[in-house]
Amino acid sequence: MGSYHAGSCTATKIKISFSLFLLLVGVASAQLSPTFYSTSCPNALSTIKSAVASAVSSEARMGASLLRLHFHDCFVNGCDASVLLDDTASLTGEKTAGPNANSLRGFDVIDTIKTQLESLCPKVVSCADILTVAARDSIVALGGPTYTVPLGRRDATTASLSAANSNIPGPQLNLAALISAFSNKGFTAREMVALSGSHTIGQARCTTFRNRLYNEANINASFATSVKSQCPSSGGDNTLSPLDVTSPTSFDNAYYRNLVSQKGLLHSDQQLYSGGSTNTIVDAYISNTGTFRADFANAMKKMGNLSPLTGTNGQIRTNCRKIN
């Protein structure tokens, strides 16, 4: 009888241990899913979509800004909304990093979406998911391809100024450095060229391309002259010029056509078509816009899957600017 009880006790312990093991395994390998909010917040996606559509119709450039927010989030320790955190006495955020300061925008749009979602379904939808979906909806709002966004990311409770300064590819990089920066995040050279196509929308500040305008030879002369009128050799650092001079508010493949004509605004843009290994990819995207759209959509989906926090990691911030 005693041995039966002992065996029963052992069996119970094993069962509990196995349940605990399954729970831990489940948490560790929690997967993102497109239907993550289908019961917990069924109107989450439509709420984000209408807010983005409204913001982009008010100012087309906002679509590019929201896309860039997502990119600058994911390249720094994964897609965890760390980029949205404001500095506090105990936390240094990423907003003052070189690639972000006086440059990242769209935080107010994310705040608006978060406020709407908190009133719909409190403490359910993460800021990281809002950023990821808003980027996709921005692309669509400007005529770009749609794609399914897996959901279930959670929000970081930390940020990294140093990682933001070192991980985000800058406008002065040459082709080898661009390929390396994206390779470090698991992207092929082709995916890097596809993602660079996001520069078919949006604008850049004079300070990021002045050196190219005044000191580089592989630039279309009339294009350089017209941009110099907006970007003097000194001063006017924050004066804006469109990254795609042809159709700056349409998501199309004109960005690549501009490169062939040596009308890339940034040094890093023109590097994609300067006699190097990526020329053929640019040519492919010019000759077949469907190929570009498909590659871009797949690369964006891949970027949204960079090191997300899932399961019990991180938290669901109620205010995207601060930790709960």
Side-chain angles (χ1 to χ4, degrees):
M1 197 74 162
S3 63
Y4 171 77
H5 277 299
S8 166
C9 183
T10 305
T12 306
K13 275 181 185 168
I14 290 169
K15 198 178 284 184
I16 289 170
S17 298
F18 188 61
S19 301
L20 187 62
F21 168 73
L22 286 178
L23 184 67
L24 290 172
V25 167
V27 166
S29 64
Q31 293 299 306
L32 301 179
S33 159
T35 57
F36 190 82
Y37 297 115
S38 57
T39 52
S40 60
C41 194
N43 293 322
L45 292 179
S46 59
T47 300
I48 298 171
K49 185 177 184 178
S50 62
V52 169
S54 171
V56 173
S57 70
S58 296
E59 184 201 4
R61 182 187 172 211
M62 188 52 73
S65 297
L66 292 171
L67 171 53
R68 189 161 176 259
L69 260 187
H70 174 54
F71 170 50
H72 283 221
D73 180 39
C74 294
F75 262 56
V76 182
N77 300 330
C79 308
D80 59 4
S82 60
V83 73
L84 302 177
L85 289 169
D86 285 340
D87 288 359
T88 66
S90 58
L91 180 142
T92 303
E94 297 163 14
K95 291 180 177 177
T96 58
N100 299 340
N102 304 312
S103 171
L104 278 189
R105 57 198 294 275
F107 298 110
D108 50 337
V109 177
I110 301 299
D111 290 339
T112 299
I113 294 169
K114 183 60 175 171
T115 301
Q116 291 173 359
L117 290 173
E118 283 301 306
S119 63
L120 269 182
C121 20
K123 301 177 183 176
V124 172
V125 183
S126 68
C127 301
D129 276 346
I130 292 171
L131 276 178
T132 311
V133 175
R136 188 270 313 271
D137 291 348
S138 292
I139 293 160
V140 173
L142 293 171
T146 190
Y147 50 93
T148 303
V149 175
L151 301 162
R153 295 166 195 76
R154 288 165 65 86
D155 299 327
T157 54
T158 58
S160 176
L161 182 69
S162 60
N165 276 320
S166 60
N167 292 359
I168 298 168
Q172 310 305 333
L173 294 188
N174 64 24
L175 183 59
L178 285 168
I179 291 172
S180 174
F182 279 81
S183 173
N184 288 341
K185 298 296 178 184
F187 292 101
T188 64
R190 187 181 181 96
E191 287 168 331
M192 181 273 288
V193 176
L195 288 172
S196 297
S198 61
H199 286 182
T200 186
I201 53 175
Q203 302 180 49
R205 294 176 302 144
C206 172
T207 184
T208 62
F209 56 83
R210 177 185 284 118
N211 186 63
R212 169 158 166 73
L213 275 189
Y214 292 92
N215 297 312
E216 294 185 10
N218 62 340
I219 187 166
N220 179 285
S222 60
F223 169 68
T225 300
S226 67
V227 181
K228 282 175 181 175
S229 67
Q230 302 297 313
C231 181
S233 55
S234 64
D237 282 5
N238 293 320
T239 307
L240 300 168
S241 290
L243 287 156
D244 168 2
V245 70
T246 312
S247 48
T249 59
S250 295
F251 195 98
D252 53 27
N253 67 347
Y255 166 79
Y256 299 108
R257 296 180 192 280
N258 295 337
L259 299 183
V260 175
S261 307
Q262 297 195 323
K263 294 178 184 175
L265 184 66
L266 305 177
H267 175 80
S268 56
D269 290 328
Q270 196 58 55
Q271 282 289 297
L272 304 184
Y273 203 87
S274 57
S277 58
T278 53
N279 274 33
T280 53
I281 305 167
V282 171
D283 287 332
Y285 291 160
I286 291 170
S287 63
N288 192 333
T289 189
T291 302
F292 161 55
R293 289 169 71 91
D295 283 3
F296 183 81
N298 288 330
M300 283 298 297
K301 196 167 176 177
K302 181 172 174 176
M303 186 165 73
N305 289 335
L306 286 176
S307 312
L309 297 171
T310 58
T312 55
N313 294 316
Q315 62 179 212
I316 307 297
R317 284 187 227 140
T318 55
N319 176 340
C320 291
R321 292 173 179 269
K322 58 184 189 182
I323 296 160
N324 295 342

